[in-house]
Amino acid sequence: MQAKDYLAQYYGGYDEDGRLLSKHGMVEFITTMKYIKKYLRPGMRVLEIGAGTGRYSHALAREGYTVDAVELIESNIEAFKRNTQPGEKVTIAQGDARQLDMCGEDTYDITLLLGPMYHLFTHEDQERALSEAVRVTKPGGVIFAAYCMGDPSIVGFGFMKGNIMELMREGMLDGETFKPHSDPWNIFQLYRTEDIDSLRETLPVERLHFIAADGFTQHMRETVDAMDDETYELYVKYHLAICERQDMTGWSHHTLEVFRKLREL
């Protein structure tokens, strides 16, 4: 199968909306939306690349922003359309993050790349997706790129769940450096902070933030989901207070890099 086929099979049976609506999943959503709104202004145009079922696109459209969305997987596009409410200024088109032919250069004020970097397995493809996101963003515009980090999965899935030897046997983990390796059938590409830095350094951008989007939440998801509302509110407040501490980012399952396209190229 091709990479797209593995993704279609995975997302065809996965409830992404349900994950983001759980208490532990809402931490990532709340954090990402906080930083998006930090840079949003009335009248701005937003592009979401790899929009999935539209959790972010619809949230922004319902606040009055004009949102264009691009998504690769047909079942996600169908769910995106079902989730669209009357009056939303939102469009959806099928497309690949590595080649956004339907999007003009210097078009969008805010560009969201909150899923595609999870599923690109070569440095070349990762560079192409980021370069396309920068290309379609206006000079001075802001790009948000999300990543899955490697070490939380090594500790959680590898050591805590007893799969570490199997990961090494299957070539998914270097036994000396413990650097992860993924193929399309593994679904998710795992990063280290130095991988993210090396990708950004090739782009005409300046970093604004590097954020632990869910921090330690995924390591204690059952505890978070069981919190009463008052405790959960306090936990989210705590998380937002520490999510830019660089000693926290490597242990977050999801990270969010925010960067600005330079005005003078």
Side-chain angles (χ1 to χ4, degrees):
M1 291 195 297
Q2 297 183 350
K4 180 184 175 182
D5 299 320
Y6 290 108
L7 289 178
Q9 187 178 71
Y10 176 80
Y11 281 108
Y14 183 70
D15 182 11
E16 176 70 1
D17 285 342
R19 180 184 76 85
L20 289 175
L21 289 171
S22 65
K23 280 185 173 177
H24 72 267
M26 280 294 294
V27 172
E28 178 189 355
F29 179 77
I30 291 167
T31 304
T32 303
M33 287 295 289
K34 174 191 173 181
Y35 281 89
I36 293 171
K37 289 181 178 181
K38 182 180 178 71
Y39 294 98
L40 269 175
R41 300 292 182 271
M44 282 187 166
R45 290 189 66 186
V46 178
L47 173 67
E48 184 173 12
I49 308 165
T53 57
R55 185 75 174 91
Y56 291 96
S57 289
H58 292 312
L60 294 171
R62 289 165 193 168
E63 294 191 15
Y65 294 99
T66 299
V67 183
D68 293 328
V70 177
E71 170 58 32
L72 181 65
I73 304 303
E74 289 87 349
S75 61
N76 283 343
I77 293 172
E78 292 169 5
F80 186 106
K81 291 178 179 178
R82 289 195 303 271
N83 292 336
T84 303
Q85 295 179 357
E88 288 186 23
K89 295 184 289 186
V90 66
T91 68
I92 180 74
Q94 187 170 30
D96 189 314
R98 297 166 295 180
Q99 191 169 355
L100 300 172
D101 294 337
M102 73 291 292
C103 299
E105 187 171 345
D106 299 339
T107 300
Y108 295 95
D109 301 284
I110 300 286
T111 299
L112 309 179
L113 192 72
L114 302 179
M117 302 304 288
Y118 297 174
H119 308 302
L120 297 173
F121 300 95
T122 68
H123 191 83
E124 179 184 13
D125 281 347
Q126 294 157 11
E127 282 188 330
R128 287 172 62 191
L130 286 169
S131 295
E132 279 290 84
V134 172
R135 179 185 67 81
V136 302
T137 304
K138 294 178 181 178
V142 180
I143 300 102
F144 296 76
Y147 298 88
C148 293
M149 304 303 285
D151 289 295
S153 293
I154 293 169
V155 172
F157 183 77
F159 286 106
M160 294 178 66
K161 293 189 176 180
N163 297 303
I164 193 69
M165 297 302 182
E166 182 181 355
L167 291 176
M168 289 192 291
R169 281 195 300 270
E170 293 185 359
M172 297 176 63
L173 192 63
D174 186 289
E176 297 297 324
T177 66
F178 292 91
K179 185 174 177 62
H181 169 80
S182 299
D183 291 298
W185 50 87
N186 303 128
I187 305 298
F188 291 99
Q189 172 69 15
L190 303 177
Y191 295 82
R192 290 180 170 181
T193 54
E194 58 261 33
D195 302 324
I196 298 168
D197 289 341
S198 69
L199 288 167
R200 186 190 67 262
E201 288 168 357
T202 68
L203 302 172
V205 299
E206 60 174 345
R207 176 188 271 182
L208 301 172
H209 308 278
F210 187 58
I211 303 149
D214 47 16
F216 211 71
T217 304
Q218 296 289 336
H219 300 281
M220 48 182 283
R221 67 183 69 183
E222 293 84 3
T223 300
V224 173
D225 287 343
M227 288 177 179
D228 60 58
D229 291 345
E230 183 178 10
T231 305
Y232 181 71
E233 183 178 348
L234 188 61
Y235 175 74
V236 171
K237 182 179 179 181
Y238 164 74
H239 164 74
L240 292 174
I242 68 169
C243 66
E244 285 197 64
R245 272 178 36 190
Q246 295 309 289
D247 57 334
M248 299 300 297
T249 53
W251 292 108
S252 182
H253 279 75
H254 301 91
T255 57
L256 180 68
E257 184 172 42
V258 185
F259 46 89
R260 190 189 306 277
K261 181 175 177 177
L262 298 178
R263 293 184 182 274
E264 297 181 4
L265 304 181

